[in-house]
Amino acid sequence: MKKILLVLAVLGMASCQQEKIGYVDNVKLMDEYQEKMDVEAKFKAKLEALAKKRDSISQAFQLEAQAFQIKAQKMSQKKAQEEYGLMQQKGQVMGQQLQQEDQQLQAAGQVEMDSIVSKVKKQIKAFGKAQGYTYILGGGDGGSVLYGTDANNLTDKVVKILNDNYKK
């Protein structure tokens, strides 16, 4: 009889232990993570530089096209058509090169953002293990947390850890 009571008491205590669950607002976390902000700023600067390059190439090409139009008036129609075809090809090549640079820049940016997301997930996992959480859920836009108390919101703690580790 004593053994049965002891087993019931142990089972009762085990069932009273609740799992520790928290959540992180994914949007807020990424918006406040300094490394992500720095990467975005770096790529924004690169995109602006590429836009300036595109604009200057476009202006130079337009001037060249205007000069060609004046020159073409003095050429035979056949010669003007040949020259016009070469101008078109040159414009297409420049456009393709600029488009390729843009795609490469976007791909590099995506690789860096994927790396940041991976880093964030690892940090959340390490935080959860260290703090004894059974689950840490993702909230915010597109997240799986429809409601959570502020006491279970770990976003600020995780952002602080991420930013502290990034400064190192």
Side-chain angles (χ1 to χ4, degrees):
M1 186 65 152
K2 288 182 183 180
K3 288 183 181 179
I4 293 175
L5 289 175
L6 181 62
V7 169
L8 287 175
V10 169
L11 286 174
M13 289 173 54
S15 66
C16 288
Q17 293 178 350
Q18 293 185 353
E19 293 181 339
K20 196 171 177 183
I21 299 174
Y23 71 94
V24 174
D25 182 331
N26 297 326
V27 174
K28 180 179 178 184
L29 178 114
M30 293 306 281
D31 284 347
E32 295 180 8
Y33 183 25
Q34 189 62 48
E35 183 176 6
K36 185 236 178 204
M37 290 187 275
D38 291 348
V39 166
E40 281 183 337
K42 177 176 79 173
F43 278 95
K44 183 178 179 185
K46 287 182 178 183
L47 283 171
E48 288 172 358
L50 183 60
K52 286 180 183 178
K53 179 180 177 180
R54 181 180 289 118
D55 290 345
S56 68
I57 288 173
S58 176
Q59 286 177 347
F61 188 73
Q62 285 176 352
L63 290 174
E64 189 177 340
Q66 288 172 353
F68 168 73
Q69 285 178 341
I70 294 169
K71 184 178 159 185
Q73 292 173 355
K74 298 175 186 171
M75 295 179 179
S76 69
Q77 187 174 358
K78 184 177 180 182
K79 181 71 174 166
Q81 285 176 343
E82 288 175 9
E83 295 276 330
Y84 180 73
L86 292 173
M87 288 285 291
Q88 278 185 315
Q89 285 179 339
K90 184 177 180 180
Q92 288 174 345
V93 168
M94 288 189 313
Q96 288 171 348
Q97 287 173 337
L98 289 170
Q99 184 178 13
Q100 189 175 27
E101 285 182 47
D102 188 46
Q103 289 171 343
Q104 288 172 342
L105 186 59
Q106 288 179 11
Q110 188 61 49
V111 167
E112 283 206 46
M113 291 308 289
D114 289 348
S115 173
I116 288 172
V117 169
S118 177
K119 198 179 294 185
V120 167
K121 286 180 180 180
K122 286 178 186 174
Q123 190 64 55
I124 291 171
K125 185 176 181 178
F127 173 81
K129 281 184 179 182
Q131 299 297 317
Y133 281 89
T134 308
Y135 299 100
I136 296 180
L137 308 173
D141 291 341
S144 58
V145 176
L146 300 176
Y147 170 76
T149 63
D150 288 339
N152 293 338
N153 187 344
L154 308 172
T155 307
D156 292 334
K157 291 177 186 175
V158 174
V159 167
K160 182 176 179 358
I161 290 169
L162 284 165
N163 285 334
D164 288 349
N165 287 342
Y166 175 61
K167 292 175 186 174
K168 292 180 182 177

